[in-house]
Amino acid sequence: MRASRKVNVEYDPGAFPPFAVTVDIALFSVREGRLCVLLVDRGVEPFKGALALPGGFLKANESTDVAAHRELREETNVDALGYLEQLKTYSSPDRDPRMRVVSVAYFGLLADVATPLGGDDAAGAAFYPVERFVGRRAATLAFDHGVILQDALERVRSKLEYSALATSLLPHPFTIAELRGVYEAVWDVSLHPANFRRKVLSTSGLVVRAPGSRQSPRGGPAAELYTPGDADQLQPALLRP
Amino acid sequence: MRASRKVNVEYDPGAFPPFAVTVDIALFSVREGRLCVLLVDRGVEPFKGALALPGGFLKANESTDVAAHRELREETNVDALGYLEQLKTYSSPDRDPRMRVVSVAYFGLLADVATPLGGDDAAGAAFYPVERFVGRRAATLAFDHGVILQDALERVRSKLEYSALATSLLPHPFTIAELRGVYEAVWDVSLHPANFRRKVLSTSGLVVRAPGSRQSPRGGPAAELYTPGDADQLQPALLRP
DNA sequence: GTAATAGTGTCTATAAGACAGTATCCG
DNA sequence: CGGATACTGTCTTATAGACACTATTAC
């Protein structure tokens, strides 16, 4: 055992165990006021017929970042992809019943435009409200994807507080009310319209005024339009209630 | 270790590319008021003679969490380890010049007790001030460990704001001034003693009063002692200046 | 004594949350 | 018209930061 490290650093090809590496992506989108996640129908065992996060095997000469983009492109169109970030790596030895698989999970954000789920492997891919898969009485997902989704959701909820990610979930330009709708959907809370507006506009670099205005869908005056600002981190943060 | 190739015999080995998986750990400790990181001297090529983060290969039947703890135990005593958390996975195809290695990086926090670096593989392991390895004119580390260290440092700096991690870098009990010293070392700033004290004591669950007191090292009245509270997240956060 | 530190009190600026009120649009 | 919404203004409370002040220790 004492010599194990020395064996390792010499890279005897038989000195280390090989692993399969996959990427899995939790792609979020706000649709009709609800936070949804892209899931695919598994057509093969194990977990045949269950829902799973889109993903696939890492290729021999690509990074996981590249693999995540590639897998996502195979499920949906990548044009509208607003954001993609590595979440966490899952490596429990029994997470795949067939073999040893280490999965590098990502989370992504997509604006709710008319998104054609028309990739090569998009059969059975659709957006589902996340509420069905979190908390008690949650519907189960294949493998440990329920845990991954839970972790991704918490990461997104947290990042909305101190980063400008919320605008990645909206087509541009957008109104303050639409931006508020994103926060309300992700955090699953109801926010005070007047205070939210003041907070957003006083956070430098979050949004910038765009020309024109847009009618409210349910009455009221036309709303001013905005596009994302150049801020990455929010100062001060927009804290969850 | 040598039987590891047998682990995957139950599936078709040609169905996916195999990868070596390692864990690398950035273990931080505050020593003499400076934030330091544990580095090991590489004895073999590549990067022979360079400094590197401690780490090693993932075994066939362990998770990366277990592997990180095991590797750390081989470098230093694990008793004082205050915290260990997964940071990020690094998978650039050329990050190791010899072969394809995917590394799952961790960061850890260790109190500055008399830490015997007396593990089996501790030869050449020592704590170095992080300032030497970050920013421009930084000394280089082996592989992409400089990037990993930079990412780990930023994660630790950020987590001090909204979590109670700072107490993991101190032996218990500690004084408010010692806790302030941790924040000052990690953030590389100078904090107002009076305001810091008020802030810490008004953050519920951060610290609890311990009996007794301790003399100040450089004059002044005896300082009250505290131990970590039960809070995990800080409410309100202790924001960087 | 001087210097340094622990701890308290206080003032100001900023931010969050509650809420009133006006203007504008749809039906 | 009524109802909903956009947007502004104001009040209260909580917090951050600056700073004055006292008390206690080492030298």
Side-chain angles (χ1 to χ4, degrees):
Chain A
M1 216 36 165
R2 195 197 188 300
S4 64
R5 191 156 189 285
K6 292 205 150 99
V7 170
N8 288 345
V9 292
E10 284 165 14
Y11 283 83
D12 171 2
F16 57 87
F19 297 90
V21 177
T22 61
V23 294
D24 290 310
I25 305 115
L27 182 67
F28 295 105
S29 191
V30 175
R31 304 174 106 75
E32 296 170 3
R34 294 197 299 182
L35 183 65
C36 297
V37 63
L38 184 70
L39 298 173
V40 298
D41 220 334
R42 275 189 67 82
V44 296
E45 294 290 350
F47 300 101
K48 182 172 181 175
L51 291 170
L53 296 176
F57 285 100
L58 181 64
K59 294 188 173 178
N61 274 300
E62 67 183 356
S63 66
T64 53
D65 283 8
V66 170
H69 277 103
R70 174 180 55 75
E71 292 290 344
L72 220 42
R73 206 179 311 119
E74 293 171 6
E75 305 287 352
T76 181
N77 74 334
V78 78
D79 295 344
L81 181 60
Y83 190 77
L84 187 65
E85 179 183 309
Q86 192 186 123
L87 172 66
K88 190 180 169 181
T89 293
Y90 298 81
S91 63
S92 173
D94 56 358
R95 60 178 298 280
D96 188 312
R98 296 161 300 177
M99 59 190 211
R100 193 64 206 276
V101 178
V102 172
S103 174
V104 183
Y106 282 73
F107 74 91
L109 304 179
L110 188 76
D112 180 17
V113 285
T115 308
L117 297 176
D120 294 339
D121 301 336
F127 281 97
Y128 297 82
V130 294
E131 67 204 15
R132 295 190 202 172
F133 306 99
V134 295
R136 77 181 104 262
R137 307 191 51 165
T140 58
L141 296 178
F143 304 104
D144 53 1
H145 290 189
V147 175
I148 297 177
L149 177 57
Q150 193 100 30
D151 291 351
L153 179 58
E154 184 47 41
R155 175 80 72 90
V156 171
R157 282 178 169 165
S158 172
K159 286 213 98 170
L160 280 211
E161 298 191 62
Y162 56 90
S163 75
L165 277 198
T167 57
S168 301
L169 282 162
L170 287 174
H172 311 329
F174 50 83
T175 67
I176 300 287
E178 289 167 346
L179 183 62
R180 177 164 48 87
V182 167
Y183 275 92
E184 291 179 328
V186 174
W187 286 346
D188 192 24
V189 295
S190 163
L191 298 174
H192 200 112
N195 290 340
F196 180 84
R197 175 191 177 80
R198 200 163 26 80
K199 209 160 163 179
V200 166
L201 294 183
S202 72
T203 302
S204 79
L206 212 198
V207 299
V208 296
R209 185 75 166 83
S213 59
R214 180 185 300 161
Q215 280 312 318
S216 292
R218 291 184 297 272
E224 297 169 353
L225 294 176
Y226 296 85
T227 49
D230 55 2
D232 208 37
Q233 305 293 314
L234 301 189
Q235 186 58 249
L238 232 155
L239 297 175
R240 265 182 279 192
Chain B
M1 184 70 96
R2 73 173 60 87
S4 58
R5 305 195 80 166
K6 303 275 189 189
V7 170
N8 295 331
V9 293
E10 291 181 51
Y11 53 88
D12 177 8
F16 57 88
F19 298 90
V21 176
T22 61
V23 294
D24 290 309
I25 305 116
L27 182 66
F28 295 105
S29 192
V30 175
R31 320 205 140 216
E32 296 169 3
R34 294 197 298 182
L35 184 65
C36 297
V37 62
L38 184 71
L39 297 173
V40 297
D41 220 333
R42 277 189 65 82
V44 296
E45 293 292 348
F47 299 102
K48 181 171 182 174
L51 291 170
L53 297 175
F57 284 98
L58 181 64
K59 294 188 171 179
N61 275 299
E62 68 183 357
S63 66
T64 53
D65 283 8
V66 169
H69 277 102
R70 174 179 55 74
E71 292 290 345
L72 220 42
R73 205 179 312 118
E74 293 171 7
E75 304 288 352
T76 180
N77 74 334
V78 78
D79 295 344
L81 181 61
Y83 190 77
L84 187 66
E85 180 183 308
Q86 192 186 122
L87 172 66
K88 192 179 168 182
T89 293
Y90 298 81
S91 64
S92 172
D94 57 358
R95 60 179 297 281
D96 188 310
R98 293 154 303 178
M99 56 188 286
R100 193 64 206 276
V101 178
V102 172
S103 174
V104 183
Y106 281 73
F107 74 91
L109 304 180
L110 187 75
D112 180 16
V113 284
T115 308
L117 295 176
D120 292 341
D121 300 334
F127 280 97
Y128 297 82
V130 295
E131 69 205 13
R132 294 191 203 170
F133 306 100
V134 296
R136 71 183 89 264
R137 306 192 50 165
T140 58
L141 296 178
F143 305 104
D144 53 1
H145 290 188
V147 175
I148 297 177
L149 176 59
Q150 192 100 29
D151 291 350
L153 178 59
E154 183 47 40
R155 175 79 72 90
V156 171
R157 282 178 168 165
S158 172
K159 286 213 99 171
L160 279 211
E161 299 192 62
Y162 57 89
S163 75
L165 276 199
T167 57
S168 302
L169 282 162
L170 286 175
H172 311 329
F174 49 83
T175 68
I176 300 287
E178 288 166 347
L179 183 62
R180 175 165 49 86
V182 166
Y183 275 92
E184 291 180 329
V186 173
W187 286 346
D188 194 23
V189 295
S190 162
L191 298 174
H192 199 113
N195 290 340
F196 181 84
R197 174 190 177 81
R198 203 164 24 80
K199 209 160 162 179
V200 165
L201 294 182
S202 70
T203 302
S204 78
L206 212 198
V207 299
V208 295
R209 185 74 166 83
S213 60
R214 180 185 302 161
Q215 281 311 320
S216 291
R218 291 185 295 274
E224 297 170 353
L225 296 176
Y226 296 85
T227 49
D230 56 3
D232 207 38
Q233 304 295 313
L234 299 189
Q235 187 58 250
L238 231 155
L239 297 175
R240 262 180 283 192

